[in-house]
Amino acid sequence: MTDAPSSPAADPWWKGAVIYQIYPRSFADSNGDGVGDLVGITRHLDYVAALGVDGIWLSPFFTSPMADFGYDVADYEDVDPIFGTLADFDALIARAHALGLKVVIDQVYAHTSDQHAWFADSRADRTNPRADWYVWADAKPEGSPPNNWQSVFGGAAWTWDARRRQYYMHNFLKEQPQLNVHLEAVQSALCDTARFWLDRGVDGFRLDAINFAMHDPALADNPPAPDDGTPRTRPFDFQLHVHNQGHADIPRFLERLRAVLDTYPGERFTVAEVGGADSDREMKLFTRGDDRLNSAYGFELLYTPALTPRAVADAIGRWPGHAGEGWPSWAFENHDVPRAPTRWSDAADHDAFVRMKMLLLLCLRGNAFLYYGEELGLPQVTIAYEDLQDPEAIANWPLTLSRDGARTPMPWRADERYAGFSTAKPWLPVGHDHPALAVDRQEGDEHSLLHLTRHLLHIRKDSVALTRGDLRVVEASDTILAIERTAPGERLLCVFNMRREPTHWAPADAERWRIAERVNQVGDWTFGGFGACIAEAD
């Protein structure tokens, strides 16, 4: 039994919202240094608002040596000079709010940069006030690391530090030492960080890799992962990560953080990024009830090898809407995975596929995250080895499609050098096929994906069934996904042919339905390749 949708007036702004992710390095360069910045973002907020989204999510722009491009934070409460100043951020907030856009920013609470002042203090000796703010451990008698934990980016999750004559832990790069979030003082410092940005007017946080925030203090070895036939490119893949992440005390910290947000007026939004084999349980745990996070998203649909009806039905079926359950969020693209058209379709199917995919994302129950350029249908860019910036891609070359290929510059104007992103050579190359998909080209084509995206966002915003209604899977075959979205006084049937071959499918009560919106070729319940529709109950 699912909860009945509440009335729109009673719902917080974020419930059913569409949020546009901006990767600051790659969105717009205002000062000609080849790197995007906050002023560049502010100058293009009118474009974002015109899409019809509810808010923006900014990937990290904090002070950082950029070992992991901002996810290694050296100062939680300042802007890295490459992106601008705190005054630039304040101007961005003001302009976004004037346009009716909410602003969500990343918070990275599992680790900092090794250049952070906290880590400088912690590594100085074993007795200073911040000595235990990070995860330190003695070597084994023969000098090896304390246990078998492995880093996501390759190699042991431990690095020797001669100052303390101990190992420090890092789930990611060695330049990203693990915070000891078990410690109340660390939690207090992180809550103070949240207050700093809330005081500046942000409307919420995306919590990066939050299931990595706490470890097993006993430092027990992780057990080996069973071999399921999936290719393993990293030592990390050979383990079940039951001790280096997902600790049972994480929800208590999230409750403490939520209490901070609840002291601010209005509805502040929190969404967790949760990856890994146990992500479904952890997402539910982190969002349970009214005193933890509002929402969470995992990687089921980001990492699925093919976008199929059954894959989507399985993912959405894990969020049935039971009482006390959190609210889901969905993304098909972000800064950590290759662009969806390249992952899931052939070049010949690109145009039809991206149109179907956009309608599908906006018909799911939950929040939708749109990644910058997704509204243009940008494909993945192939980055030559010598141009790679991403440390994971460099370490795993050539076995992974690099994250760099999804982080390339936004193409604004087709006929300008560097597609209007910058007047200087960008930090990553512009995709050779991206200028043809540039904003100015699509603005001039009423049949473009950009125009369709605006139209579909308008439809979604006007529909209680699509934004906050119940969802029921009607069909999930090899070809067809059909879902019903309902709210008091509104009943919609959303049907997607998720293959290139035409097909016929009709609901059992077809006479009761009227097709109201079509994407690609859709006739009388006959669907061309990647054809999709929304039907209304008569």
Side-chain angles (χ1 to χ4, degrees):
M1 183 70 177
T2 58
D3 295 335
S6 52
S7 68
D11 284 328
W13 69 265
W14 52 262
K15 194 167 187 180
V18 179
I19 298 176
Y20 186 85
Q21 181 191 356
I22 294 175
Y23 195 71
R25 294 182 70 89
S26 300
F27 197 61
D29 173 21
S30 71
N31 60 4
D33 65 357
V35 178
D37 47 50
L38 296 181
V39 171
I41 294 170
T42 303
R43 289 177 181 174
H44 289 84
L45 286 177
D46 290 74
Y47 163 82
V48 177
L51 289 173
V53 298
D54 300 284
I56 60 173
W57 152 31
L58 299 178
S59 295
F61 52 85
F62 317 109
T63 305
S64 169
M66 301 295 167
D68 192 24
F69 296 99
Y71 286 95
D72 50 320
V73 180
D75 187 342
Y76 282 114
E77 298 180 0
D78 206 354
V79 174
D80 193 275
I82 200 168
F83 298 125
T85 65
L86 281 170
D88 293 331
F89 179 78
D90 292 340
L92 187 158
I93 286 274
R95 181 58 183 157
H97 286 169
L99 291 167
L101 293 170
K102 304 293 186 179
V103 179
V104 175
I105 67 172
D106 258 316
Q107 293 287 269
V108 187
Y109 291 158
H111 51 259
T112 71
S113 166
D114 61 354
Q115 303 302 308
H116 199 292
W118 297 349
F119 189 66
D121 289 346
S122 188
R123 78 193 312 183
D125 56 58
R126 303 188 191 189
T127 60
N128 71 83
R130 291 191 176 124
D132 296 330
W133 279 37
Y134 293 81
V135 181
W136 296 93
D138 293 331
K140 289 182 178 179
E142 81 286 359
S144 63
N147 61 26
N148 71 347
W149 296 351
Q150 296 294 307
S151 161
V152 171
F153 289 158
W158 299 94
T159 291
W160 178 256
D161 186 83
R163 297 166 183 82
R164 285 186 50 139
R165 295 183 299 282
Q166 284 183 305
Y167 283 97
Y168 68 86
M169 178 190 165
H170 51 90
N171 277 307
F172 297 92
L173 296 174
K174 64 180 177 60
E175 293 86 0
Q176 294 170 294
Q178 181 77 19
L179 278 167
N180 182 12
V181 185
H182 288 287
L183 201 66
E184 185 173 345
V186 172
Q187 293 185 17
S188 296
L190 295 174
C191 287
D192 286 344
T193 292
R195 290 187 185 94
F196 177 86
W197 295 107
L198 291 165
D199 288 343
R200 300 195 93 88
V202 303
D203 301 287
F205 300 128
R206 171 198 175 266
L207 302 184
D208 179 71
I210 194 63
N211 56 334
F212 282 91
M214 292 186 189
H215 65 294
D216 173 11
L219 305 184
D221 280 350
N222 279 331
D227 187 357
D228 61 1
T230 303
R232 294 168 169 176
T233 61
R234 310 167 298 177
F236 184 82
D237 300 327
F238 287 79
Q239 296 183 354
L240 295 176
H241 302 284
V242 296
H243 296 301
N244 66 308
Q245 64 185 77
H247 193 275
D249 287 345
I250 293 175
R252 296 180 188 175
F253 167 59
L254 298 181
E255 290 168 2
R256 186 175 179 188
L257 179 66
R258 174 65 183 270
V260 170
L261 275 84
D262 286 349
T263 64
Y264 286 79
E267 295 284 352
R268 309 295 168 135
F269 175 57
T270 50
V271 57
E273 178 209 31
V274 183
D278 201 26
S279 60
D280 184 65
R281 182 190 66 84
E282 291 174 335
M283 287 191 290
K284 304 286 178 51
L285 186 64
F286 298 166
T287 59
R288 182 181 300 160
D290 296 323
D291 59 352
R292 295 180 184 174
L293 305 182
N294 302 124
S295 187
Y297 77 91
F299 287 79
E300 306 102 315
L301 296 180
L302 287 165
Y303 282 170
T304 187
L307 189 67
T308 66
R310 291 193 177 101
V312 176
D314 180 63
I316 61 181
R318 298 177 187 177
W319 294 89
H322 292 155
E325 178 184 281
W327 183 251
S329 289
W330 304 104
F332 290 162
E333 300 187 21
N334 72 12
H335 61 290
D336 280 332
V337 297
R339 294 272 186 181
T342 304
R343 292 203 319 274
W344 290 333
S345 73
D346 295 332
D349 299 324
H350 173 275
D351 292 354
F353 175 80
V354 296
R355 296 167 74 84
M356 181 277 293
K357 177 181 71 72
M358 185 62 70
L359 180 62
L360 173 60
L361 177 64
L362 298 180
C363 286
L364 299 181
R365 175 183 174 272
N367 293 338
F369 284 91
L370 274 180
Y371 187 46
Y372 82 98
E374 189 172 358
E375 75 280 12
L376 305 177
L378 298 183
Q380 178 83 352
V381 178
T382 299
I383 306 293
Y385 181 80
E386 58 270 20
D387 292 327
L388 286 176
Q389 306 289 328
D390 174 19
E392 182 180 27
I394 293 170
N396 292 311
W397 173 266
L399 296 178
T400 61
L401 282 172
S402 79
R403 297 182 299 174
D404 286 337
R407 300 175 176 183
T408 56
M410 177 78 166
W412 292 102
R413 293 175 292 278
D415 295 329
E416 290 190 14
R417 195 177 188 191
Y418 309 124
F421 165 75
S422 177
T423 57
K425 181 180 178 181
W427 75 288
L428 284 172
V430 175
H432 72 89
D433 49 1
H434 284 194
L437 298 170
V439 170
D440 65 342
R441 288 279 177 88
Q442 298 205 31
E443 288 281 14
D445 178 6
E446 64 180 11
H447 301 295
S448 69
L449 179 64
L450 175 58
H451 279 272
L452 177 66
T453 300
R454 289 176 179 150
H455 175 64
L456 296 179
L457 283 166
H458 176 77
I459 290 171
R460 177 183 168 99
K461 187 168 288 189
D462 284 348
S463 169
V464 178
L466 290 179
T467 53
R468 296 174 291 285
D470 288 334
L471 182 149
R472 180 175 71 90
V473 175
V474 177
E475 176 83 10
S477 67
D478 290 340
T479 301
I480 290 289
L481 175 71
I483 57 177
E484 191 174 292
R485 302 298 313 275
T486 55
E490 188 179 12
R491 184 180 175 210
L492 304 176
L493 181 67
C494 309
V495 185
F496 308 88
N497 175 11
M498 300 178 70
R499 299 182 67 169
R500 66 162 63 92
E501 295 82 12
T503 192
H504 176 85
W505 181 89
D509 53 350
E511 71 281 356
R512 298 187 57 190
W513 296 98
R514 177 182 60 83
I515 295 178
E517 297 292 336
R518 307 166 197 260
V519 169
N520 301 321
Q521 298 298 314
V522 178
D524 185 15
W525 302 111
T526 298
F527 297 84
F530 302 106
C533 72
I534 298 177
E536 298 175 340
D538 286 334

